[in-house]
Amino acid sequence: MKQRIHIQEPLLQQIGKLADAESVRAFVVGGFVRDEILGKQVKDIDIVVVGNGIEFGQKVARALERSNLVVFENFGTAMLQLDEWKLEFVGARKESYKKESRKPIVAVGTLEDDLSRRDFTVNAIAASLLAEDFGTIIDPFDGRLDLEAKILKTPLDPVVTFDDDPLRIMRAFRFASQLGFTVEPSVLEAAAKMSSRLKIISQERISDEFLKIIASPQPSVGMKLMYDAGVMEIVFPEVAQLAGVDQRQDYHHKDVFLHTLKVVDNICESTDNVWLRMAALLHDIAKPRTKAFKEGIGWTFHGHEELGARMVKQIFKRMKLPFEHIKFVEKLVRLHLRPMALVDGEVTDSAVRRLLFEAGEEIDDLMKLCRADITSKNPRLVEQVRKNYDLVIKKMGEVEEKDRLRNWQPPVKGEEIMQVCGLEPGRSVGLLKDEITEAILDGRIPNEHDAALEYLLKIKDEVLQRVV
Ligand code: CTP
């Protein structure tokens, strides 16, 4: 019996009618069909026609009275953005990509040829768009069975599939993480064997897949697979080097890599922000470089938060990640130990005030990171730390309400300092401003203009003498 999927989308029926009128065999394939079967809505639709994909795309655009068809002659594809829908047209082909280059050989093939050259069986299911069998499924590689079994297999020998496009190695780990699927052992084996071929793939495409792993519900799934296949070593050596680094177990896992993965999974429960997740991934990134053994204490990692923060920029550069997020990640890595120091020690107003001042707008994200950083397996310890942690949050609320320290500026501004002290712009103005800030953060004077001005008058001569 023929199997069908129920395609609700009228746009696809319209395209099907057009294909009928033009006597073109057209099918929807890939992610759209996979996600329809999984009951998910997607807005990207890949359409394969037996024949010329670009020509069919042009006919569809004309029929829908759209002039925004973008043609990629080199790849034999055409793309049409229709409101929230993104349609991509391609002709069925025998071979996907030429070795060692991204230049495709556009050899015309049958639908089955085309499906066989796709990445995974779950992405190699087609559904007809023709009126006579609208929605009928063509599934020569039993992709539906694999969808049910939640497993990633390749339509051909995985070595051939990965050889066609090595980025698929990353895609395997990404889909495993995104969909919660396992990867067939022979596919994992091929991924490990061919991992070095990723070097021919552009950094942008690799990072795009990596970010999708970070954005998935449980990134540790994809990252463990990356590590086991030797791919982490190539794509993200700093993360791979966390493995095998022992640390004391008090709040943490013994191994820094496993601890880090747990922190990333933990933070996913409280945020979808990939950059906060990235900060969780990088929070201990400098531990291997700062590790030292201290008699009577054990392993220490002094300064790893500072060195880690300094590593962020070079990692973003190498991985071609968007620079606008560097400062945020740096800040969280730099400050990640600070809330815990408060949790462990005495929670004084001035310590809380200082942290609020330094973290600024990022304080809530920093607290999320800090909470995620507790990965001890001892439930009593976790409970204890969480309780203290809630105490710190409460205290922060109180101090914040009193002092309004988020994005705070000292109540006496540079202009006024210059006027009162008869100064030109320069280093002394900054120094005086810092002294006032310190006095407020320490709680020696209240966070108010008059008190700050009085304090300025008191200290100015002594401070200015220091500058000379
Ligand atoms: N494809 C492939 N090899 C690749 C990339 C894509 O075989 N390296 C095929 C797959 O059949 C895939 C389809 O092209 O389903 C569409 O690719 P893409 O839009 O990148 O992936 P989706 O499966 O749609 O998933 P997502 O949108 O989540 O990326």
Side-chain angles (χ1 to χ4, degrees):
M1 195 186 80
K2 284 188 174 171
Q3 301 265 1
R4 282 171 196 264
I5 53 166
H6 190 60
I7 304 174
Q8 298 260 3
E9 191 38 51
L11 174 64
L12 285 177
Q13 292 183 356
Q14 223 178 328
I15 293 173
K17 279 196 188 124
L18 206 77
D20 268 327
E22 298 284 339
S23 304
V24 171
R25 292 179 63 218
F27 305 85
V28 58
V29 286
F32 183 85
V33 181
R34 179 195 71 222
D35 287 342
E36 276 281 314
I37 296 172
L38 289 174
K40 291 188 211 164
Q41 263 270 321
V42 275
K43 300 291 178 195
D44 286 8
I45 307 179
D46 290 301
I47 292 167
V48 167
V49 301
V50 181
N52 190 319
I54 295 177
E55 269 174 24
F56 186 63
Q58 284 162 338
K59 281 177 183 151
V60 171
R62 220 173 296 131
L64 298 175
E65 296 176 356
R66 301 284 178 141
S67 55
N68 58 332
L69 185 84
V70 184
V71 174
F72 302 96
E73 206 70 60
N74 233 0
F75 291 94
T77 62
M79 205 264 284
L80 183 63
Q81 187 79 42
L82 275 176
D83 309 320
E84 80 268 47
W85 298 98
K86 197 172 115 200
L87 298 174
E88 190 145 352
F89 300 90
V90 65
R93 45 180 81 168
K94 262 200 184 102
E95 267 183 70
S96 33
Y97 303 104
K98 207 189 225 165
K99 262 191 215 163
E100 313 306 334
S101 97
R102 302 279 314 144
K103 287 244 171 68
I105 306 169
V106 188
V108 177
T110 63
L111 177 67
E112 282 71 16
D113 287 334
D114 186 280
L115 295 177
S116 76
R117 306 311 298 212
R118 288 179 178 263
D119 53 1
F120 303 105
T121 59
V122 297
N123 288 340
I125 311 170
S128 172
L129 292 179
L130 302 184
E132 58 175 35
D133 57 357
F134 190 77
T136 297
I137 277 178
I138 299 98
D139 182 18
F141 302 99
D142 287 333
R144 267 168 314 161
L145 289 180
D146 294 339
L147 267 183
E148 246 169 67
K150 294 177 177 276
I151 189 161
L152 289 170
K153 293 183 189 170
T154 50
L156 303 177
D157 179 339
V159 172
V160 175
T161 301
F162 288 157
D163 198 45
D164 273 350
D165 181 2
L167 182 73
R168 291 169 172 173
I169 297 172
M170 283 297 287
R171 284 171 64 90
F173 306 144
R174 187 258 282 195
F175 283 119
S177 225
Q178 240 177 11
L179 303 171
F181 280 22
T182 52
V183 185
E184 196 189 45
S186 67
V187 175
L188 285 177
E189 242 170 71
K193 196 167 118 192
M194 302 178 70
S195 57
S196 65
R197 297 272 333 264
L198 273 169
K199 287 181 185 147
I200 67 161
I201 301 295
S202 79
Q203 185 59 53
E204 286 84 350
R205 295 180 81 210
I206 292 178
S207 291
D208 196 38
E209 293 298 331
F210 187 77
L211 287 180
K212 285 182 180 166
I213 293 178
I214 297 273
S216 71
Q218 212 186 331
S220 65
V221 172
M223 288 199 281
K224 260 196 203 125
L225 290 169
M226 279 180 74
Y227 179 78
D228 291 342
V231 167
M232 193 65 95
E233 187 57 50
I234 295 166
V235 169
F236 214 143
E238 296 88 347
V239 172
Q241 281 149 25
L242 300 177
V245 176
D246 277 357
Q247 58 183 346
R248 280 177 294 140
Q249 271 184 289
D250 18 19
Y251 306 130
H252 298 139
H253 272 65
K254 205 160 175 276
D255 178 278
V256 180
F257 177 61
L258 295 179
H259 162 72
T260 297
L261 293 190
K262 184 77 180 114
V263 177
V264 176
D265 282 354
N266 282 350
I267 211 158
C268 293
E269 286 170 21
S270 61
T271 187
D272 289 334
N273 176 351
V274 287
W275 305 107
L276 181 51
R277 293 175 175 204
M278 186 64 98
L281 180 67
L282 297 182
H283 79 287
D284 278 347
I285 202 71
K287 275 197 169 166
R289 299 191 189 177
T290 52
K291 184 172 170 163
F293 194 79
K294 288 258 159 61
E295 220 37 69
I297 298 177
W299 293 114
T300 63
F301 304 92
H302 285 305
H304 75 273
E305 67 283 17
E306 183 54 41
L307 183 60
R310 277 192 256 133
M311 287 166 71
V312 171
K313 196 187 240 164
Q314 77 201 51
I315 289 171
F316 268 64
K317 268 193 183 159
R318 190 194 65 237
M319 295 192 67
K320 299 212 161 77
L321 297 172
F323 283 10
E324 73 254 37
H325 302 291
I326 292 178
K327 283 220 146 45
F328 170 79
V329 177
E330 270 174 356
K331 188 177 204 174
L332 291 186
V333 173
R334 179 170 288 119
L335 294 179
H336 82 269
L337 293 178
R338 296 281 298 280
M340 194 47 90
L342 280 184
V343 171
D344 273 349
E346 200 192 335
V347 192
T348 62
D349 271 19
S350 74
V352 169
R353 218 179 271 129
R354 250 170 217 290
L355 184 57
L356 278 170
F357 174 61
E358 280 176 56
E361 274 305 322
E362 276 68 63
I363 188 69
D364 295 334
D365 286 339
L366 180 65
M367 294 312 277
K368 281 182 188 169
L369 172 58
C370 188
R371 190 184 262 279
D373 199 9
I374 310 163
T375 63
S376 163
K377 287 202 180 107
N378 174 347
R380 229 184 307 141
L381 184 64
V382 172
E383 179 64 22
Q384 177 65 43
V385 179
R386 293 225 164 117
K387 258 199 200 135
N388 288 356
Y389 177 94
D390 290 338
L391 203 76
V392 173
I393 299 230
K394 187 163 163 268
K395 189 91 177 176
M396 276 183 170
E398 288 164 14
V399 174
E400 168 71 7
E401 198 173 318
K402 217 166 43 177
D403 293 355
R404 302 166 311 280
L405 278 162
R406 248 175 243 225
N407 288 337
W408 174 80
Q409 283 292 317
V412 175
K413 308 258 176 300
E415 290 276 306
E416 194 174 355
I417 297 177
M418 288 193 276
Q419 207 181 30
V420 169
C421 304
L423 293 170
E424 295 292 315
R427 198 160 76 90
S428 344
V429 184
L431 263 182
L432 286 164
K433 205 169 165 187
D434 287 349
E435 290 284 341
I436 297 172
T437 304
E438 285 297 308
I440 292 172
L441 292 177
D442 274 351
R444 282 180 275 128
I445 59 170
N447 182 16
E448 288 160 9
H449 173 265
D450 291 356
L453 183 60
E454 193 184 316
Y455 183 72
L456 170 68
L457 293 170
K458 199 169 99 193
I459 59 159
K460 73 178 178 38
D461 293 340
E462 190 264 321
V463 173
L464 291 176
Q465 227 165 21
R466 251 192 280 152
V467 182
V468 186

